[in-house]
Coordinates of all heavy atoms in Angstrom, one line a residue:
S1 N 117.9 96.2 81.8 CA 116.6 96.0 81.2 C 115.9 94.8 81.9 O 114.8 94.8 82.3 CB 116.7 95.8 79.7 OG 115.4 95.5 79.2
T2 N 116.6 93.7 82.0 CA 116.1 92.5 82.6 C 115.8 92.7 84.1 O 114.8 92.3 84.6 CB 117.1 91.3 82.5 OG1 117.4 91.1 81.1 CG2 116.5 90.0 83.1
L3 N 116.7 93.5 84.7 CA 116.5 93.9 86.1 C 115.2 94.7 86.3 O 114.5 94.4 87.2 CB 117.7 94.7 86.6 CG 117.9 94.8 88.1 CD1 117.8 93.5 88.7 CD2 119.2 95.5 88.4
M4 N 114.9 95.6 85.4 CA 113.7 96.4 85.5 C 112.4 95.5 85.3 O 111.5 95.7 86.1 CB 113.7 97.5 84.4 CG 114.7 98.6 84.7 SD 114.5 99.8 83.3 CE 113.6 101.0 84.2
R5 N 112.4 94.6 84.4 CA 111.3 93.7 84.2 C 111.1 92.9 85.4 O 110.0 92.7 85.9 CB 111.5 92.9 82.9 CG 111.0 93.6 81.7 CD 111.0 92.7 80.5 NE 112.3 92.9 79.8 CZ 113.0 92.0 79.2 NH1 112.6 90.8 79.2 NH2 114.1 92.3 78.7
S6 N 112.2 92.4 86.0 CA 112.1 91.5 87.1 C 111.5 92.3 88.3 O 110.7 91.8 89.1 CB 113.5 91.0 87.5 OG 113.4 90.3 88.7
S7 N 112.0 93.5 88.5 CA 111.5 94.4 89.6 C 110.0 94.7 89.4 O 109.2 94.6 90.3 CB 112.3 95.6 89.6 OG 111.8 96.5 90.7
A8 N 109.6 95.0 88.2 CA 108.2 95.3 87.9 C 107.3 94.1 88.2 O 106.2 94.2 88.8 CB 108.0 95.8 86.5
A9 N 107.8 92.9 87.7 CA 107.0 91.7 88.0 C 106.9 91.4 89.5 O 105.9 91.0 90.0 CB 107.7 90.5 87.3
S10 N 108.0 91.7 90.2 CA 108.0 91.5 91.6 C 107.0 92.4 92.3 O 106.3 92.0 93.2 CB 109.4 91.8 92.2 OG 109.4 91.6 93.6
D11 N 106.9 93.7 91.8 CA 106.0 94.6 92.4 C 104.5 94.2 92.2 O 103.7 94.3 93.1 CB 106.2 96.0 91.8 CG 107.5 96.7 92.3 OD1 108.0 96.2 93.3 OD2 107.9 97.7 91.7
V12 N 104.2 93.7 91.0 CA 102.9 93.2 90.7 C 102.6 92.0 91.6 O 101.5 91.9 92.1 CB 102.8 92.8 89.2 CG1 101.5 92.0 88.9 CG2 102.9 94.0 88.3
Y13 N 103.5 91.1 91.7 CA 103.3 89.9 92.6 C 103.0 90.3 94.0 O 102.1 89.8 94.6 CB 104.5 89.0 92.6 CG 104.4 87.9 93.5 CD1 103.6 86.8 93.3 CD2 105.1 87.9 94.8 CE1 103.5 85.7 94.2 CE2 104.9 86.9 95.7 CZ 104.1 85.8 95.4 OH 104.0 84.8 96.3
K14 N 103.8 91.3 94.5 CA 103.6 91.8 95.9 C 102.2 92.4 96.1 O 101.5 92.2 97.1 CB 104.7 92.8 96.3 CG 106.0 92.2 96.5 CD 107.0 93.2 96.8 CE 108.4 92.7 96.9 NZ 109.4 93.7 97.0
R15 N 101.8 93.2 95.1 CA 100.5 93.9 95.1 C 99.4 92.8 95.1 O 98.4 92.9 95.9 CB 100.4 94.8 93.9 CG 99.3 95.8 94.1 CD 99.4 97.0 93.1 NE 99.8 96.6 91.7 CZ 100.9 97.0 91.2 NH1 101.8 97.6 91.8 NH2 101.2 96.6 89.9
Q16 N 99.5 91.8 94.2 CA 98.5 90.8 94.2 C 98.4 90.0 95.5 O 97.4 89.7 96.0 CB 98.7 89.8 93.0 CG 98.5 90.4 91.7 CD 98.9 89.5 90.5 OE1 99.7 88.6 90.7 NE2 98.4 89.8 89.3
A17 N 99.6 89.6 96.0 CA 99.6 88.9 97.3 C 99.0 89.7 98.4 O 98.3 89.2 99.2 CB 101.1 88.5 97.6
R18 N 99.3 91.0 98.4 CA 98.7 91.9 99.5 C 97.2 91.9 99.3 O 96.5 91.8 100.3 CB 99.4 93.3 99.4 CG 99.0 94.2 100.5 CD 99.9 95.4 100.5 NE 99.9 96.1 99.2 CZ 101.0 96.3 98.5 NH1 102.2 95.8 98.9 NH2 101.0 96.9 97.4
N19 N 96.7 92.1 98.1 CA 95.3 92.1 97.9 C 94.6 90.8 98.3 O 93.5 90.8 98.9 CB 94.9 92.5 96.5 CG 95.3 94.0 96.2 OD1 95.4 94.8 97.1 ND2 95.5 94.3 94.9
F20 N 95.2 89.7 97.9 CA 94.7 88.4 98.2 C 94.6 88.2 99.7 O 93.7 87.8 100.3 CB 95.5 87.3 97.6 CG 95.1 85.9 98.0 CD1 93.9 85.4 97.5 CD2 95.8 85.2 99.0 CE1 93.5 84.1 97.8 CE2 95.3 84.0 99.4 CZ 94.2 83.4 98.8
G21 N 95.7 88.6 100.4 CA 95.8 88.5 101.9 C 94.7 89.3 102.6 O 94.0 88.8 103.5
N22 N 94.4 90.5 102.1 CA 93.3 91.3 102.7 C 92.0 90.7 102.5 O 91.2 90.6 103.4 CB 93.3 92.7 102.1 CG 94.6 93.5 102.4 OD1 95.3 93.2 103.4 ND2 94.9 94.5 101.7
S23 N 91.7 90.2 101.3 CA 90.4 89.6 101.1 C 90.2 88.3 101.8 O 89.2 87.9 102.3 CB 90.1 89.4 99.6 OG 91.0 88.5 99.1
A24 N 91.3 87.6 102.0 CA 91.3 86.3 102.7 C 91.0 86.5 104.2 O 90.4 85.7 104.9 CB 92.6 85.5 102.5
M25 N 91.5 87.7 104.8 CA 91.3 88.0 106.2 C 89.9 88.3 106.5 O 89.4 88.0 107.5 CB 92.2 89.1 106.6 CG 93.6 88.7 106.9 SD 94.6 90.1 107.4 CE 93.7 90.6 108.9
K26 N 89.2 89.0 105.6 CA 87.9 89.5 105.9 C 86.8 88.5 105.3 O 86.5 88.6 104.2 CB 87.7 90.9 105.3 CG 86.4 91.5 105.7 CD 86.3 92.9 105.2 CE 84.9 93.5 105.5 NZ 84.8 94.8 104.9
K27 N 86.4 87.7 106.2 CA 85.3 86.7 105.8 C 84.0 87.2 106.3 O 84.0 87.9 107.3 CB 85.7 85.3 106.4 CG 87.0 84.8 105.9 CD 87.2 83.4 106.6 CE 88.6 82.9 106.1 NZ 89.0 81.7 106.9
P28 N 82.9 86.8 105.7 CA 81.6 87.2 106.2 C 81.4 86.6 107.6 O 81.8 85.5 107.9 CB 80.6 86.5 105.2 CG 81.4 86.2 104.0 CD 82.8 86.1 104.4
L29 N 80.8 87.4 108.5 CA 80.6 87.0 109.8 C 79.3 86.1 109.9 O 78.3 86.4 109.2 CB 80.4 88.2 110.8 CG 81.6 89.1 110.8 CD1 81.4 90.3 111.7 CD2 82.9 88.4 111.2
D30 N 79.3 85.1 110.8 CA 78.1 84.3 111.0 C 77.4 84.7 112.2 O 76.5 83.9 112.7 CB 78.5 82.8 111.0 CG 79.4 82.4 112.2 OD1 79.9 83.3 112.9 OD2 79.6 81.2 112.4
Y31 N 77.7 85.9 112.7 CA 76.9 86.4 113.9 C 76.7 87.9 113.6 O 77.3 88.5 112.7 CB 77.7 86.2 115.2 CG 79.2 86.7 115.1 CD1 79.5 88.0 115.3 CD2 80.2 85.8 114.8 CE1 80.8 88.4 115.3 CE2 81.5 86.2 114.7 CZ 81.8 87.5 115.0 OH 83.1 87.9 114.9
A32 N 75.8 88.5 114.4 CA 75.4 89.9 114.2 C 75.2 90.5 115.6 O 75.3 89.9 116.7 CB 74.1 90.0 113.5
V33 N 75.0 91.8 115.6 CA 74.8 92.6 116.9 C 73.6 91.9 117.6 O 72.5 91.6 117.0 CB 74.5 94.1 116.6 CG1 74.1 94.8 117.9 CG2 75.8 94.7 116.0
G34 N 73.8 91.7 118.9 CA 72.7 91.0 119.7 C 72.9 89.5 119.9 O 72.3 88.9 120.8
D35 N 73.7 88.9 119.0 CA 73.9 87.5 119.1 C 74.9 87.2 120.3 O 75.7 87.9 120.7 CB 74.6 86.9 117.9 CG 73.6 86.8 116.7 OD1 72.4 86.9 116.9 OD2 74.1 86.7 115.5
T36 N 74.6 86.0 120.9 CA 75.5 85.5 121.9 C 76.6 84.7 121.2 O 76.4 83.8 120.4 CB 74.7 84.6 122.9 OG1 73.7 85.3 123.5 CG2 75.6 84.0 124.0
V37 N 77.9 84.9 121.6 CA 79.0 84.3 121.0 C 79.9 83.7 122.1 O 79.8 84.1 123.3 CB 79.8 85.3 120.2 CG1 79.0 85.7 118.9 CG2 80.3 86.5 120.9
S38 N 80.8 82.8 121.7 CA 81.8 82.2 122.6 C 83.2 82.6 122.1 O 83.5 82.5 121.0 CB 81.6 80.7 122.7 OG 82.6 80.1 123.4
H39 N 84.1 82.9 123.1 CA 85.5 83.2 122.8 C 86.3 82.2 123.7 O 86.0 82.0 124.9 CB 85.8 84.6 123.2 CG 87.2 85.1 122.9 ND1 88.2 84.9 123.8 CD2 87.7 85.7 121.8 CE1 89.3 85.4 123.2 NE2 89.1 85.8 122.0
L40 N 87.4 81.7 123.1 CA 88.2 80.7 123.8 C 88.7 81.2 125.2 O 88.7 80.5 126.2 CB 89.4 80.4 122.9 CG 90.3 79.2 123.4 CD1 89.4 77.9 123.4 CD2 91.4 79.0 122.4
K41 N 89.2 82.5 125.3 CA 89.7 83.0 126.5 C 88.7 83.7 127.4 O 88.7 83.6 128.6 CB 90.8 84.0 126.2 CG 91.5 84.6 127.4 CD 92.7 85.5 127.0 CE 93.3 86.1 128.2 NZ 94.4 87.1 127.8
F42 N 87.8 84.5 126.8 CA 86.9 85.4 127.5 C 85.5 84.7 127.9 O 84.8 85.2 128.7 CB 86.6 86.7 126.8 CG 87.9 87.5 126.6 CD1 88.2 87.9 125.3 CD2 88.8 87.7 127.6 CE1 89.4 88.6 125.0 CE2 89.9 88.5 127.4 CZ 90.2 88.9 126.1
G43 N 85.2 83.6 127.2 CA 84.0 82.9 127.5 C 82.8 83.4 126.7 O 83.0 83.7 125.5
T44 N 81.6 83.4 127.3 CA 80.4 83.8 126.6 C 80.1 85.3 126.7 O 80.3 85.9 127.8 CB 79.2 83.0 127.2 OG1 79.5 81.6 127.1 CG2 77.9 83.3 126.5
G45 N 79.7 85.9 125.6 CA 79.3 87.3 125.6 C 78.3 87.6 124.6 O 77.9 86.8 123.7
V46 N 77.9 88.9 124.6 CA 76.9 89.4 123.6 C 77.5 90.4 122.7 O 78.2 91.4 123.2 CB 75.7 90.0 124.4 CG1 74.7 90.6 123.4 CG2 75.0 89.0 125.2
V47 N 77.4 90.3 121.4 CA 77.9 91.2 120.5 C 77.2 92.6 120.6 O 75.9 92.6 120.5 CB 77.8 90.7 119.0 CG1 78.3 91.7 118.0 CG2 78.5 89.4 118.9
K48 N 77.9 93.7 120.8 CA 77.3 95.0 121.0 C 77.4 95.9 119.8 O 76.6 96.7 119.5 CB 78.0 95.7 122.2 CG 77.7 95.0 123.5 CD 76.2 95.0 123.8 CE 75.9 94.4 125.2 NZ 74.4 94.4 125.4
Q49 N 78.5 95.7 119.0 CA 78.8 96.5 117.9 C 79.7 95.8 116.9 O 80.6 95.0 117.3 CB 79.4 97.8 118.3 CG 79.7 98.8 117.2 CD 80.3 100.1 117.7 OE1 81.1 100.1 118.7 NE2 79.9 101.2 117.1
I50 N 79.5 96.0 115.6 CA 80.4 95.5 114.5 C 80.6 96.7 113.6 O 79.7 97.3 113.1 CB 79.7 94.3 113.8 CG1 79.4 93.2 114.7 CG2 80.6 93.9 112.6 CD1 78.7 92.0 114.0
I51 N 81.9 97.0 113.4 CA 82.3 98.1 112.6 C 83.1 97.4 111.4 O 84.0 96.7 111.6 CB 83.3 99.1 113.3 CG1 82.5 99.7 114.5 CG2 83.8 100.1 112.3 CD1 83.4 100.6 115.4
D52 N 82.7 97.8 110.2 CA 83.3 97.3 109.0 C 84.5 98.3 108.7 O 84.2 99.4 108.2 CB 82.3 97.3 107.8 CG 83.0 96.7 106.5 OD1 84.2 96.5 106.5 OD2 82.2 96.4 105.6
G53 N 85.7 97.9 109.0 CA 86.9 98.7 108.9 C 87.5 98.6 107.5 O 88.6 99.1 107.3
G54 N 86.8 98.0 106.5 CA 87.3 97.9 105.2 C 88.1 96.6 105.0 O 87.7 95.8 104.3
R55 N 89.2 96.5 105.7 CA 90.1 95.3 105.6 C 89.7 94.3 106.6 O 90.0 93.1 106.5 CB 91.5 95.7 105.9 CG 92.1 96.5 104.8 CD 93.6 96.7 105.0 NE 94.2 97.5 103.9 CZ 95.4 97.7 103.7 NH1 96.3 97.2 104.6 NH2 95.9 98.4 102.7
A56 N 89.0 94.7 107.7 CA 88.6 93.8 108.8 C 87.4 94.3 109.5 O 87.2 95.5 109.5 CB 89.8 93.5 109.7
Y57 N 86.7 93.4 110.2 CA 85.6 93.8 111.1 C 86.2 94.0 112.5 O 86.9 93.1 113.0 CB 84.5 92.7 111.1 CG 83.8 92.5 109.8 CD1 84.1 91.4 109.0 CD2 82.9 93.5 109.4 CE1 83.4 91.2 107.8 CE2 82.2 93.3 108.2 CZ 82.5 92.2 107.4 OH 81.8 92.0 106.2
E58 N 85.8 95.1 113.1 CA 86.1 95.3 114.5 C 84.8 95.0 115.3 O 83.8 95.6 115.1 CB 86.6 96.7 114.8 CG 86.9 96.9 116.3 CD 87.3 98.4 116.5 OE1 88.4 98.8 116.0 OE2 86.6 99.0 117.3
V59 N 84.9 94.0 116.2 CA 83.7 93.6 117.0 C 83.9 93.9 118.4 O 84.9 93.7 119.0 CB 83.6 92.0 116.8 CG1 82.3 91.5 117.5 CG2 83.6 91.6 115.4
T60 N 82.8 94.5 119.0 CA 82.7 94.8 120.4 C 81.8 93.8 121.1 O 80.7 93.7 120.6 CB 82.2 96.3 120.7 OG1 83.1 97.2 120.0 CG2 82.2 96.6 122.1
V61 N 82.3 93.1 122.1 CA 81.5 92.1 122.8 C 81.6 92.4 124.3 O 82.6 92.7 124.9 CB 82.1 90.7 122.5 CG1 81.3 89.6 123.2 CG2 82.2 90.4 121.0
D62 N 80.4 92.2 124.9 CA 80.3 92.3 126.4 C 80.3 90.9 127.0 O 79.3 90.2 126.8 CB 79.0 93.1 126.7 CG 78.9 93.4 128.2 OD1 79.8 93.0 129.0 OD2 77.9 94.1 128.6
F63 N 81.4 90.6 127.6 CA 81.6 89.2 128.1 C 81.2 89.3 129.6 O 81.7 90.2 130.4 CB 83.0 88.8 128.0 CG 83.5 88.5 126.6 CD1 84.2 89.4 125.9 CD2 83.1 87.3 126.0 CE1 84.6 89.2 124.6 CE2 83.5 87.1 124.6 CZ 84.3 88.0 124.0
S64 N 80.4 88.3 130.0 CA 80.0 88.3 131.4 C 81.2 88.0 132.3 O 81.9 87.0 132.0 CB 78.8 87.3 131.7 OG 79.2 86.0 131.1
G65 N 81.4 88.8 133.3 CA 82.5 88.5 134.2 C 83.8 89.2 133.8 O 84.7 89.4 134.6
V66 N 84.0 89.5 132.5 CA 85.2 90.0 132.0 C 85.1 91.5 131.5 O 86.0 92.2 131.6 CB 85.8 89.1 130.8 CG1 87.1 89.7 130.3 CG2 85.9 87.7 131.2
G67 N 83.9 91.8 131.1 CA 83.6 93.2 130.6 C 83.6 93.3 129.1 O 83.6 92.3 128.4
V68 N 83.6 94.5 128.6 CA 83.6 94.8 127.2 C 84.9 94.7 126.6 O 85.9 95.3 127.1 CB 82.9 96.2 127.0 CG1 82.9 96.5 125.5 CG2 81.5 96.2 127.5
K69 N 85.0 94.0 125.5 CA 86.3 93.9 124.7 C 86.1 94.2 123.3 O 85.1 93.8 122.7 CB 86.8 92.4 124.8 CG 87.1 91.9 126.2 CD 88.3 92.5 126.8 CE 88.6 92.0 128.2 NZ 89.6 92.7 128.9
K70 N 87.0 94.9 122.7 CA 87.0 95.2 121.2 C 88.1 94.3 120.6 O 89.2 94.2 121.2 CB 87.3 96.6 120.9 CG 86.2 97.6 121.3 CD 86.5 99.0 120.8 CE 85.3 99.9 121.2 NZ 85.5 101.2 120.7
M71 N 87.8 93.7 119.5 CA 88.8 92.8 118.8 C 88.5 92.7 117.3 O 87.4 93.0 116.9 CB 88.7 91.4 119.5 CG 87.3 90.8 119.4 SD 87.1 89.4 120.5 CE 86.9 90.3 122.1
F72 N 89.5 92.3 116.6 CA 89.3 92.0 115.2 C 88.7 90.6 115.0 O 89.2 89.7 115.6 CB 90.6 92.2 114.4 CG 91.0 93.6 114.3 CD1 92.2 94.0 114.9 CD2 90.3 94.5 113.5 CE1 92.6 95.3 114.8 CE2 90.8 95.8 113.4 CZ 91.9 96.2 114.0
A73 N 87.6 90.6 114.2 CA 86.9 89.3 114.0 C 87.8 88.2 113.5 O 87.7 87.0 113.9 CB 85.7 89.5 113.1
S74 N 88.7 88.6 112.6 CA 89.6 87.5 112.0 C 90.5 86.9 113.0 O 90.9 85.7 112.9 CB 90.4 88.1 110.9 OG 91.2 89.2 111.4
F75 N 90.9 87.6 114.1 CA 91.7 87.0 115.1 C 91.0 86.4 116.3 O 91.4 85.5 117.0 CB 92.7 88.1 115.6 CG 93.7 88.5 114.6 CD1 93.6 89.8 114.1 CD2 94.7 87.7 114.1 CE1 94.4 90.3 113.1 CE2 95.6 88.2 113.1 CZ 95.4 89.4 112.6
A76 N 89.8 87.0 116.6 CA 89.0 86.6 117.8 C 88.4 85.2 117.6 O 88.2 84.5 118.6 CB 87.9 87.6 118.0
K77 N 88.1 84.8 116.4 CA 87.5 83.4 116.2 C 86.3 83.2 117.1 O 86.2 82.2 117.8 CB 88.5 82.4 116.4 CG 89.7 82.5 115.4 CD 90.7 81.4 115.6 CE 91.8 81.6 114.6 NZ 93.0 80.8 114.8
L78 N 85.4 84.2 117.1 CA 84.1 84.1 117.9 C 83.2 83.0 117.2 O 83.1 82.9 116.0 CB 83.4 85.4 117.9 CG 84.2 86.5 118.6 CD1 83.5 87.9 118.4 CD2 84.3 86.2 120.1
K79 N 82.5 82.3 118.1 CA 81.6 81.3 117.6 C 80.2 81.6 118.1 O 80.0 81.9 119.3 CB 82.0 79.9 118.1 CG 83.3 79.5 117.6 CD 83.3 78.0 117.3 CE 84.7 77.6 116.9 NZ 85.0 77.6 115.5
K80 N 79.2 81.7 117.2 CA 77.8 82.0 117.5 C 77.2 80.8 118.3 O 77.4 79.7 118.0 CB 77.0 82.3 116.3 CG 75.6 82.6 116.6 CD 74.8 83.0 115.3 CE 73.4 83.2 115.6 NZ 72.6 83.5 114.4
L81 N 76.5 81.1 119.4 CA 75.9 80.1 120.2 C 74.4 80.0 120.0 O 73.8 80.9 119.4 CB 76.1 80.4 121.7 CG 77.6 80.3 122.2 CD1 77.7 80.7 123.6 CD2 78.2 79.0 121.9

C-alpha cells in the first residue's frame, strides 16, 4: 500500500516536472518573420518562417553566406538586431 502511494506520487511529480519543463522551454520570441537576427555560429540572417510546434518554435533563417537553416528557437538563442 505504501509502495503504491509512493509510485503514484512519483508519477504526479514526473508529470508536473515534464509540464514545467515544456513551458519553460517555450518562451515568447522577441523577433518575427522579416526581422534581422544574429546567431553565434552562423552570423547575421533574416527570419523567413516561424512555426509554433506546440512545445517549441521552429525558426527558419536565411543567413548570408551560410544559407537557410531551420532550428528550434530555444536552442538557437537568436538575438534581434
Side-chain angles (χ1 to χ4, degrees):
S1 173
T2 304
L3 195 53
M4 289 180 101
R5 273 186 265 143
S6 176
S7 177
S10 177
D11 288 345
V12 169
Y13 173 78
K14 287 177 189 173
R15 197 166 40 249
Q16 288 173 343
R18 188 169 50 243
N19 290 339
F20 175 76
N22 291 342
S23 64
M25 281 182 59
K26 187 176 173 184
K27 297 178 182 173
L29 301 177
D30 64 349
Y31 50 84
V33 173
D35 285 345
T36 301
V37 293
S38 175
H39 183 272
L40 191 61
K41 181 177 178 182
F42 301 128
T44 302
V46 176
V47 178
K48 295 297 182 183
Q49 183 179 33
I50 298 173
I51 298 172
D52 185 347
R55 292 186 179 189
Y57 293 106
E58 182 182 294
V59 182
T60 303
V61 182
D62 188 358
F63 293 100
S64 53
V66 183
V68 176
K69 302 286 183 187
K70 287 186 178 184
M71 58 198 77
F72 288 111
S74 56
F75 295 109
K77 297 180 182 170
L78 297 168
K79 301 219 184 265
K80 183 177 175 179
L81 299 179

